[in-house]
Amino acid sequence: MIILKPTDDENLIKEYYQKENISFSAASNLLLATERDEVLGYCLFDIDDVLTVHIIEPLNDLSLLDGVLRSTLHVGCERGVVDAFYADTAPEAAFNTLGFIKNKAEKRLDVEKLFKSCCSCK
């Protein structure tokens, strides 16, 4: 079973931010997608007044990427943050394919899509 959840291990968060060459701050967060002890995917994101997605993996599995993104946006909602954006380092093409881009010029993500089906399923 795949488990998607944020970690509060600051050292692990710093490790992932360093690995991806993204600046770490007090707002930095990491969500992991794991099965047993294997990391299948992750999202590096900041939460302050808004949520900003920096990096999301895996890029080669859109279904898992969709789940990681939805879980990340859900974490933001649980913390009272409903405005979500993506950084230049995030995979805009994948977000577009999944229908999560609300405003491309602002790099704004559509949090309301959380309440719609995944992967454009019918």
Short mmCIF file of all heavy atoms in Angstrom, two decimals, residues 51-111:
data_model
loop_
_atom_site.label_atom_id
_atom_site.label_comp_id
_atom_site.label_asym_id
_atom_site.label_seq_id
_atom_site.Cartn_x
_atom_site.Cartn_y
_atom_site.Cartn_z
N LEU A 51 0.86 28.23 -0.66
CA LEU A 51 1.63 27.00 -0.86
C LEU A 51 2.33 27.12 -2.21
O LEU A 51 1.70 27.49 -3.20
CB LEU A 51 0.70 25.80 -0.85
CG LEU A 51 1.34 24.41 -0.94
CD1 LEU A 51 0.50 23.41 -0.18
CD2 LEU A 51 1.52 23.96 -2.37
N THR A 52 3.63 26.82 -2.23
CA THR A 52 4.39 26.86 -3.48
C THR A 52 5.08 25.52 -3.69
O THR A 52 5.87 25.10 -2.86
CB THR A 52 5.45 27.98 -3.45
OG1 THR A 52 4.82 29.23 -3.19
CG2 THR A 52 6.19 28.06 -4.78
N VAL A 53 4.73 24.87 -4.79
CA VAL A 53 5.35 23.59 -5.16
C VAL A 53 6.64 23.90 -5.90
O VAL A 53 6.64 24.62 -6.90
CB VAL A 53 4.41 22.75 -6.05
CG1 VAL A 53 5.12 21.50 -6.54
CG2 VAL A 53 3.14 22.40 -5.31
N HIS A 54 7.74 23.32 -5.40
CA HIS A 54 9.05 23.50 -6.04
C HIS A 54 9.41 22.32 -6.95
O HIS A 54 9.75 22.51 -8.10
CB HIS A 54 10.15 23.66 -5.00
CG HIS A 54 10.04 24.91 -4.22
ND1 HIS A 54 10.30 26.15 -4.74
CD2 HIS A 54 9.65 25.13 -2.93
CE1 HIS A 54 10.09 27.08 -3.83
NE2 HIS A 54 9.70 26.48 -2.72
N ILE A 55 9.36 21.14 -6.39
CA ILE A 55 9.75 19.91 -7.10
C ILE A 55 8.72 18.84 -6.77
O ILE A 55 8.26 18.75 -5.64
CB ILE A 55 11.14 19.41 -6.62
CG1 ILE A 55 12.23 20.43 -6.90
CG2 ILE A 55 11.47 18.04 -7.21
CD1 ILE A 55 12.67 20.53 -8.33
N ILE A 56 8.39 18.05 -7.77
CA ILE A 56 7.50 16.92 -7.53
C ILE A 56 7.99 15.74 -8.38
O ILE A 56 8.40 15.92 -9.52
CB ILE A 56 6.02 17.29 -7.83
CG1 ILE A 56 5.05 16.24 -7.32
CG2 ILE A 56 5.83 17.60 -9.28
CD1 ILE A 56 3.61 16.71 -7.25
N GLU A 57 7.99 14.60 -7.79
CA GLU A 57 8.43 13.36 -8.45
C GLU A 57 7.42 12.27 -8.15
O GLU A 57 6.81 12.30 -7.08
CB GLU A 57 9.81 12.92 -7.92
CG GLU A 57 10.96 13.79 -8.35
CD GLU A 57 11.34 13.62 -9.80
OE1 GLU A 57 11.02 12.58 -10.40
OE2 GLU A 57 11.97 14.53 -10.35
N PRO A 58 7.21 11.32 -8.99
CA PRO A 58 7.95 11.00 -10.21
C PRO A 58 7.33 11.71 -11.41
O PRO A 58 6.13 11.93 -11.46
CB PRO A 58 7.79 9.49 -10.33
CG PRO A 58 6.40 9.24 -9.79
CD PRO A 58 6.23 10.28 -8.68
N LEU A 59 8.15 12.01 -12.37
CA LEU A 59 7.66 12.63 -13.59
C LEU A 59 7.18 11.60 -14.61
O LEU A 59 6.40 11.92 -15.50
CB LEU A 59 8.77 13.49 -14.22
CG LEU A 59 9.23 14.67 -13.36
CD1 LEU A 59 10.37 15.41 -14.06
CD2 LEU A 59 8.08 15.61 -13.06
N ASN A 60 7.63 10.36 -14.46
CA ASN A 60 7.29 9.32 -15.44
C ASN A 60 6.05 8.51 -15.07
O ASN A 60 5.73 7.55 -15.75
CB ASN A 60 8.48 8.37 -15.63
CG ASN A 60 8.83 7.63 -14.35
OD1 ASN A 60 8.34 7.96 -13.28
ND2 ASN A 60 9.70 6.65 -14.45
N ASP A 61 5.35 8.88 -14.01
CA ASP A 61 4.14 8.18 -13.59
C ASP A 61 3.09 9.23 -13.23
O ASP A 61 3.04 9.70 -12.09
CB ASP A 61 4.45 7.27 -12.40
CG ASP A 61 3.27 6.45 -11.93
OD1 ASP A 61 2.11 6.82 -12.23
OD2 ASP A 61 3.49 5.44 -11.24
N LEU A 62 2.27 9.62 -14.22
CA LEU A 62 1.30 10.70 -14.00
C LEU A 62 0.27 10.37 -12.93
O LEU A 62 -0.17 11.27 -12.21
CB LEU A 62 0.59 11.06 -15.31
CG LEU A 62 1.32 12.04 -16.22
CD1 LEU A 62 0.50 12.32 -17.47
CD2 LEU A 62 1.67 13.32 -15.52
N SER A 63 -0.10 9.12 -12.78
CA SER A 63 -1.07 8.75 -11.75
C SER A 63 -0.50 9.00 -10.36
O SER A 63 -1.17 9.55 -9.49
CB SER A 63 -1.48 7.28 -11.88
OG SER A 63 -2.21 7.09 -13.07
N LEU A 64 0.75 8.59 -10.15
CA LEU A 64 1.38 8.82 -8.85
C LEU A 64 1.65 10.30 -8.64
O LEU A 64 1.42 10.83 -7.55
CB LEU A 64 2.67 8.01 -8.72
CG LEU A 64 3.38 8.09 -7.37
CD1 LEU A 64 2.46 7.73 -6.21
CD2 LEU A 64 4.61 7.17 -7.37
N LEU A 65 2.11 11.00 -9.69
CA LEU A 65 2.32 12.44 -9.58
C LEU A 65 1.02 13.14 -9.18
O LEU A 65 1.01 14.01 -8.32
CB LEU A 65 2.85 13.00 -10.89
CG LEU A 65 3.30 14.46 -10.85
CD1 LEU A 65 4.51 14.67 -11.75
CD2 LEU A 65 2.20 15.41 -11.23
N ASP A 66 -0.09 12.73 -9.79
CA ASP A 66 -1.40 13.28 -9.46
C ASP A 66 -1.70 13.07 -7.97
O ASP A 66 -2.13 14.00 -7.28
CB ASP A 66 -2.48 12.61 -10.31
CG ASP A 66 -3.86 13.16 -10.07
OD1 ASP A 66 -4.23 14.14 -10.74
OD2 ASP A 66 -4.58 12.60 -9.20
N GLY A 67 -1.44 11.88 -7.47
CA GLY A 67 -1.68 11.60 -6.05
C GLY A 67 -0.79 12.40 -5.13
O GLY A 67 -1.24 12.91 -4.09
N VAL A 68 0.48 12.55 -5.50
CA VAL A 68 1.42 13.34 -4.69
C VAL A 68 0.98 14.80 -4.68
O VAL A 68 0.97 15.45 -3.63
CB VAL A 68 2.87 13.19 -5.21
CG1 VAL A 68 3.81 14.16 -4.52
CG2 VAL A 68 3.36 11.75 -5.02
N LEU A 69 0.60 15.33 -5.83
CA LEU A 69 0.15 16.72 -5.90
C LEU A 69 -1.12 16.92 -5.10
O LEU A 69 -1.24 17.87 -4.32
CB LEU A 69 -0.06 17.15 -7.36
CG LEU A 69 -0.53 18.58 -7.56
CD1 LEU A 69 0.44 19.59 -6.94
CD2 LEU A 69 -0.73 18.86 -9.04
N ARG A 70 -2.10 16.04 -5.27
CA ARG A 70 -3.35 16.15 -4.51
C ARG A 70 -3.08 16.09 -3.00
O ARG A 70 -3.67 16.85 -2.22
CB ARG A 70 -4.32 15.04 -4.90
CG ARG A 70 -4.98 15.24 -6.23
CD ARG A 70 -5.83 14.03 -6.64
NE ARG A 70 -6.36 14.22 -7.95
CZ ARG A 70 -7.52 14.85 -8.22
NH1 ARG A 70 -8.24 15.32 -7.24
NH2 ARG A 70 -7.92 14.98 -9.47
N SER A 71 -2.20 15.20 -2.58
CA SER A 71 -1.87 15.08 -1.16
C SER A 71 -1.20 16.35 -0.65
O SER A 71 -1.48 16.80 0.46
CB SER A 71 -0.97 13.87 -0.91
OG SER A 71 -1.67 12.68 -1.22
N THR A 72 -0.32 16.92 -1.46
CA THR A 72 0.35 18.16 -1.09
C THR A 72 -0.65 19.29 -0.94
O THR A 72 -0.62 20.04 0.05
CB THR A 72 1.42 18.52 -2.14
OG1 THR A 72 2.38 17.46 -2.21
CG2 THR A 72 2.11 19.82 -1.81
N LEU A 73 -1.54 19.44 -1.90
CA LEU A 73 -2.56 20.49 -1.83
C LEU A 73 -3.48 20.28 -0.63
O LEU A 73 -3.90 21.24 0.03
CB LEU A 73 -3.37 20.55 -3.13
CG LEU A 73 -2.58 20.94 -4.38
CD1 LEU A 73 -3.46 20.84 -5.63
CD2 LEU A 73 -1.99 22.32 -4.25
N HIS A 74 -3.76 19.03 -0.32
CA HIS A 74 -4.59 18.71 0.84
C HIS A 74 -3.90 19.14 2.14
O HIS A 74 -4.54 19.67 3.05
CB HIS A 74 -4.90 17.21 0.88
CG HIS A 74 -5.82 16.83 1.98
ND1 HIS A 74 -5.37 16.27 3.15
CD2 HIS A 74 -7.16 16.96 2.12
CE1 HIS A 74 -6.39 16.06 3.95
NE2 HIS A 74 -7.49 16.47 3.35
N VAL A 75 -2.59 18.94 2.22
CA VAL A 75 -1.83 19.40 3.40
C VAL A 75 -2.01 20.91 3.55
O VAL A 75 -2.25 21.40 4.66
CB VAL A 75 -0.33 19.03 3.28
CG1 VAL A 75 0.50 19.74 4.34
CG2 VAL A 75 -0.14 17.52 3.39
N GLY A 76 -1.91 21.62 2.45
CA GLY A 76 -2.12 23.07 2.50
C GLY A 76 -3.51 23.43 3.02
O GLY A 76 -3.65 24.27 3.91
N CYS A 77 -4.52 22.76 2.49
CA CYS A 77 -5.90 23.02 2.93
C CYS A 77 -6.07 22.73 4.41
O CYS A 77 -6.74 23.48 5.12
CB CYS A 77 -6.88 22.20 2.10
SG CYS A 77 -7.04 22.75 0.40
N GLU A 78 -5.47 21.62 4.89
CA GLU A 78 -5.56 21.29 6.31
C GLU A 78 -4.94 22.37 7.18
O GLU A 78 -5.33 22.56 8.33
CB GLU A 78 -4.84 19.97 6.60
CG GLU A 78 -5.61 18.75 6.20
CD GLU A 78 -4.87 17.48 6.58
OE1 GLU A 78 -3.62 17.45 6.55
OE2 GLU A 78 -5.57 16.50 6.93
N ARG A 79 -3.98 23.09 6.64
CA ARG A 79 -3.30 24.16 7.38
C ARG A 79 -3.91 25.53 7.08
O ARG A 79 -3.35 26.56 7.43
CB ARG A 79 -1.81 24.16 7.05
CG ARG A 79 -1.13 22.86 7.51
CD ARG A 79 0.34 22.85 7.20
NE ARG A 79 0.91 21.53 7.47
CZ ARG A 79 2.17 21.22 7.23
NH1 ARG A 79 3.00 22.13 6.74
NH2 ARG A 79 2.61 20.01 7.51
N GLY A 80 -5.04 25.54 6.40
CA GLY A 80 -5.75 26.78 6.12
C GLY A 80 -5.20 27.58 4.95
O GLY A 80 -5.53 28.75 4.80
N VAL A 81 -4.39 26.95 4.11
CA VAL A 81 -3.80 27.63 2.96
C VAL A 81 -4.45 27.06 1.69
O VAL A 81 -4.26 25.90 1.36
CB VAL A 81 -2.27 27.42 2.92
CG1 VAL A 81 -1.67 28.06 1.68
CG2 VAL A 81 -1.63 27.98 4.18
N VAL A 82 -5.22 27.90 1.01
CA VAL A 82 -5.94 27.44 -0.18
C VAL A 82 -5.44 28.07 -1.47
O VAL A 82 -5.96 27.77 -2.54
CB VAL A 82 -7.47 27.65 -0.04
CG1 VAL A 82 -8.02 26.77 1.08
CG2 VAL A 82 -7.80 29.11 0.20
N ASP A 83 -4.45 28.95 -1.36
CA ASP A 83 -3.84 29.53 -2.55
C ASP A 83 -2.56 28.77 -2.83
O ASP A 83 -1.66 28.72 -1.99
CB ASP A 83 -3.53 31.02 -2.34
CG ASP A 83 -4.79 31.87 -2.26
OD1 ASP A 83 -5.73 31.59 -3.02
OD2 ASP A 83 -4.81 32.80 -1.45
N ALA A 84 -2.48 28.16 -4.01
CA ALA A 84 -1.34 27.32 -4.36
C ALA A 84 -0.75 27.75 -5.69
O ALA A 84 -1.48 28.06 -6.63
CB ALA A 84 -1.75 25.86 -4.40
N PHE A 85 0.57 27.74 -5.73
CA PHE A 85 1.32 28.15 -6.91
C PHE A 85 2.42 27.13 -7.18
O PHE A 85 2.67 26.26 -6.35
CB PHE A 85 1.93 29.54 -6.70
CG PHE A 85 0.90 30.60 -6.46
CD1 PHE A 85 0.40 30.84 -5.19
CD2 PHE A 85 0.41 31.35 -7.51
CE1 PHE A 85 -0.57 31.81 -4.96
CE2 PHE A 85 -0.55 32.33 -7.30
CZ PHE A 85 -1.05 32.55 -6.03
N TYR A 86 3.08 27.26 -8.32
CA TYR A 86 4.22 26.41 -8.61
C TYR A 86 5.39 27.28 -9.04
O TYR A 86 5.23 28.31 -9.68
CB TYR A 86 3.90 25.34 -9.65
CG TYR A 86 3.40 25.86 -10.98
CD1 TYR A 86 4.29 26.06 -12.04
CD2 TYR A 86 2.05 26.12 -11.19
CE1 TYR A 86 3.83 26.51 -13.27
CE2 TYR A 86 1.60 26.58 -12.41
CZ TYR A 86 2.49 26.77 -13.45
OH TYR A 86 2.04 27.22 -14.65
N ALA A 87 6.58 26.85 -8.65
CA ALA A 87 7.82 27.56 -8.98
C ALA A 87 8.29 27.18 -10.38
O ALA A 87 7.78 26.23 -10.99
CB ALA A 87 8.89 27.22 -7.94
N ASP A 88 9.28 27.89 -10.86
CA ASP A 88 9.86 27.59 -12.17
C ASP A 88 10.45 26.19 -12.23
O ASP A 88 10.58 25.62 -13.31
CB ASP A 88 10.95 28.61 -12.52
CG ASP A 88 10.38 30.00 -12.79
OD1 ASP A 88 9.19 30.11 -13.12
OD2 ASP A 88 11.15 30.97 -12.66
N THR A 89 10.81 25.64 -11.08
CA THR A 89 11.43 24.31 -11.01
C THR A 89 10.40 23.18 -11.07
O THR A 89 10.77 22.02 -11.20
CB THR A 89 12.24 24.18 -9.70
OG1 THR A 89 11.39 24.55 -8.60
CG2 THR A 89 13.47 25.06 -9.73
N ALA A 90 9.13 23.50 -10.97
CA ALA A 90 8.06 22.49 -10.99
C ALA A 90 7.71 22.10 -12.43
O ALA A 90 7.91 22.89 -13.36
CB ALA A 90 6.83 23.01 -10.26
N PRO A 91 7.17 20.91 -12.62
CA PRO A 91 6.85 20.42 -13.99
C PRO A 91 5.51 20.97 -14.51
O PRO A 91 4.48 20.31 -14.44
CB PRO A 91 6.80 18.91 -13.80
CG PRO A 91 6.31 18.74 -12.40
CD PRO A 91 6.94 19.87 -11.62
N GLU A 92 5.57 22.17 -15.06
CA GLU A 92 4.36 22.82 -15.56
C GLU A 92 3.61 21.95 -16.58
O GLU A 92 2.38 21.89 -16.55
CB GLU A 92 4.74 24.17 -16.18
CG GLU A 92 3.55 24.95 -16.70
CD GLU A 92 3.95 26.30 -17.24
OE1 GLU A 92 4.56 26.33 -18.33
OE2 GLU A 92 3.66 27.31 -16.57
N ALA A 93 4.34 21.28 -17.45
CA ALA A 93 3.69 20.45 -18.48
C ALA A 93 2.85 19.34 -17.83
O ALA A 93 1.73 19.07 -18.28
CB ALA A 93 4.73 19.86 -19.42
N ALA A 94 3.37 18.72 -16.79
CA ALA A 94 2.61 17.66 -16.10
C ALA A 94 1.38 18.25 -15.41
O ALA A 94 0.29 17.66 -15.47
CB ALA A 94 3.50 16.95 -15.08
N PHE A 95 1.54 19.40 -14.77
CA PHE A 95 0.39 20.04 -14.12
C PHE A 95 -0.68 20.39 -15.14
O PHE A 95 -1.87 20.26 -14.89
CB PHE A 95 0.82 21.30 -13.36
CG PHE A 95 1.74 21.04 -12.19
CD1 PHE A 95 2.45 22.08 -11.63
CD2 PHE A 95 1.90 19.78 -11.64
CE1 PHE A 95 3.29 21.88 -10.54
CE2 PHE A 95 2.74 19.55 -10.56
CZ PHE A 95 3.44 20.61 -10.01
N ASN A 96 -0.25 20.83 -16.31
CA ASN A 96 -1.18 21.17 -17.38
C ASN A 96 -1.90 19.92 -17.88
O ASN A 96 -3.12 19.92 -18.05
CB ASN A 96 -0.44 21.86 -18.52
CG ASN A 96 -1.37 22.43 -19.56
OD1 ASN A 96 -2.32 23.13 -19.22
ND2 ASN A 96 -1.12 22.13 -20.82
N THR A 97 -1.15 18.84 -18.11
CA THR A 97 -1.74 17.57 -18.56
C THR A 97 -2.79 17.08 -17.58
O THR A 97 -3.84 16.58 -17.98
CB THR A 97 -0.64 16.49 -18.73
OG1 THR A 97 0.26 16.93 -19.74
CG2 THR A 97 -1.23 15.15 -19.12
N LEU A 98 -2.52 17.23 -16.29
CA LEU A 98 -3.44 16.78 -15.25
C LEU A 98 -4.59 17.76 -15.01
O LEU A 98 -5.52 17.46 -14.25
CB LEU A 98 -2.69 16.54 -13.94
CG LEU A 98 -1.70 15.37 -13.98
CD1 LEU A 98 -0.83 15.38 -12.73
CD2 LEU A 98 -2.42 14.05 -14.13
N GLY A 99 -4.53 18.94 -15.62
CA GLY A 99 -5.60 19.92 -15.48
C GLY A 99 -5.55 20.71 -14.19
O GLY A 99 -6.56 21.25 -13.74
N PHE A 100 -4.38 20.82 -13.58
CA PHE A 100 -4.26 21.52 -12.31
C PHE A 100 -3.87 22.99 -12.43
O PHE A 100 -3.79 23.69 -11.42
CB PHE A 100 -3.23 20.82 -11.40
CG PHE A 100 -3.85 19.80 -10.49
CD1 PHE A 100 -3.80 18.46 -10.82
CD2 PHE A 100 -4.51 20.18 -9.33
CE1 PHE A 100 -4.37 17.51 -9.99
CE2 PHE A 100 -5.09 19.24 -8.51
CZ PHE A 100 -5.02 17.90 -8.83
N ILE A 101 -3.63 23.48 -13.62
CA ILE A 101 -3.25 24.88 -13.77
C ILE A 101 -4.50 25.73 -13.88
O ILE A 101 -5.32 25.56 -14.79
CB ILE A 101 -2.32 25.09 -14.98
CG1 ILE A 101 -1.01 24.35 -14.73
CG2 ILE A 101 -2.07 26.59 -15.19
CD1 ILE A 101 -0.01 24.45 -15.85
N LYS A 102 -4.63 26.65 -12.94
CA LYS A 102 -5.78 27.56 -12.93
C LYS A 102 -5.44 28.83 -13.71
O LYS A 102 -6.28 29.37 -14.41
CB LYS A 102 -6.15 27.92 -11.48
CG LYS A 102 -7.38 28.76 -11.36
CD LYS A 102 -7.79 28.92 -9.92
CE LYS A 102 -9.12 29.62 -9.80
NZ LYS A 102 -9.59 29.63 -8.42
N ASN A 103 -4.20 29.33 -13.54
CA ASN A 103 -3.77 30.53 -14.23
C ASN A 103 -2.28 30.40 -14.53
O ASN A 103 -1.45 30.48 -13.63
CB ASN A 103 -4.04 31.76 -13.37
CG ASN A 103 -3.70 33.06 -14.07
OD1 ASN A 103 -2.64 33.21 -14.67
ND2 ASN A 103 -4.61 34.02 -13.98
N LYS A 104 -1.97 30.18 -15.80
CA LYS A 104 -0.58 29.92 -16.21
C LYS A 104 0.30 31.15 -15.99
O LYS A 104 1.45 31.02 -15.58
CB LYS A 104 -0.55 29.48 -17.67
CG LYS A 104 0.77 28.92 -18.12
CD LYS A 104 0.66 28.32 -19.50
CE LYS A 104 1.93 27.63 -19.90
NZ LYS A 104 1.81 26.95 -21.18
N ALA A 105 -0.20 32.34 -16.27
CA ALA A 105 0.58 33.56 -16.11
C ALA A 105 0.99 33.78 -14.65
O ALA A 105 2.10 34.23 -14.37
CB ALA A 105 -0.20 34.77 -16.63
N GLU A 106 0.10 33.44 -13.72
CA GLU A 106 0.39 33.59 -12.28
C GLU A 106 1.05 32.35 -11.70
O GLU A 106 1.44 32.36 -10.54
CB GLU A 106 -0.91 33.84 -11.51
CG GLU A 106 -1.59 35.13 -11.82
CD GLU A 106 -2.90 35.29 -11.05
OE1 GLU A 106 -3.36 34.32 -10.39
OE2 GLU A 106 -3.48 36.39 -11.11
N LYS A 107 1.12 31.28 -12.49
CA LYS A 107 1.60 29.97 -12.02
C LYS A 107 0.74 29.49 -10.83
O LYS A 107 1.22 28.92 -9.87
CB LYS A 107 3.08 30.03 -11.63
CG LYS A 107 3.98 30.32 -12.81
CD LYS A 107 5.43 30.23 -12.43
CE LYS A 107 6.34 30.56 -13.57
NZ LYS A 107 6.58 29.50 -14.48
N ARG A 108 -0.55 29.70 -10.95
CA ARG A 108 -1.52 29.33 -9.90
C ARG A 108 -2.10 27.96 -10.18
O ARG A 108 -2.50 27.66 -11.29
CB ARG A 108 -2.64 30.36 -9.83
CG ARG A 108 -3.68 30.06 -8.75
CD ARG A 108 -4.78 31.10 -8.73
NE ARG A 108 -4.31 32.40 -8.33
CZ ARG A 108 -4.34 32.83 -7.06
NH1 ARG A 108 -4.82 32.06 -6.12
NH2 ARG A 108 -3.89 34.02 -6.77
N LEU A 109 -2.15 27.15 -9.14
CA LEU A 109 -2.74 25.81 -9.22
C LEU A 109 -4.20 25.86 -8.81
O LEU A 109 -4.60 26.68 -7.97
CB LEU A 109 -1.97 24.83 -8.33
CG LEU A 109 -0.54 24.55 -8.77
CD1 LEU A 109 0.22 23.80 -7.68
CD2 LEU A 109 -0.53 23.76 -10.07
N ASP A 110 -5.00 24.97 -9.35
CA ASP A 110 -6.43 24.89 -9.08
C ASP A 110 -6.68 23.93 -7.91
O ASP A 110 -6.78 22.71 -8.10
CB ASP A 110 -7.16 24.42 -10.33
CG ASP A 110 -8.67 24.46 -10.19
OD1 ASP A 110 -9.17 24.86 -9.11
OD2 ASP A 110 -9.35 24.10 -11.16
N VAL A 111 -6.78 24.48 -6.71
CA VAL A 111 -7.01 23.67 -5.51
C VAL A 111 -8.39 23.03 -5.54
O VAL A 111 -8.59 21.93 -5.01
CB VAL A 111 -6.81 24.51 -4.23
CG1 VAL A 111 -7.12 23.71 -2.98
CG2 VAL A 111 -5.37 25.05 -4.17
#
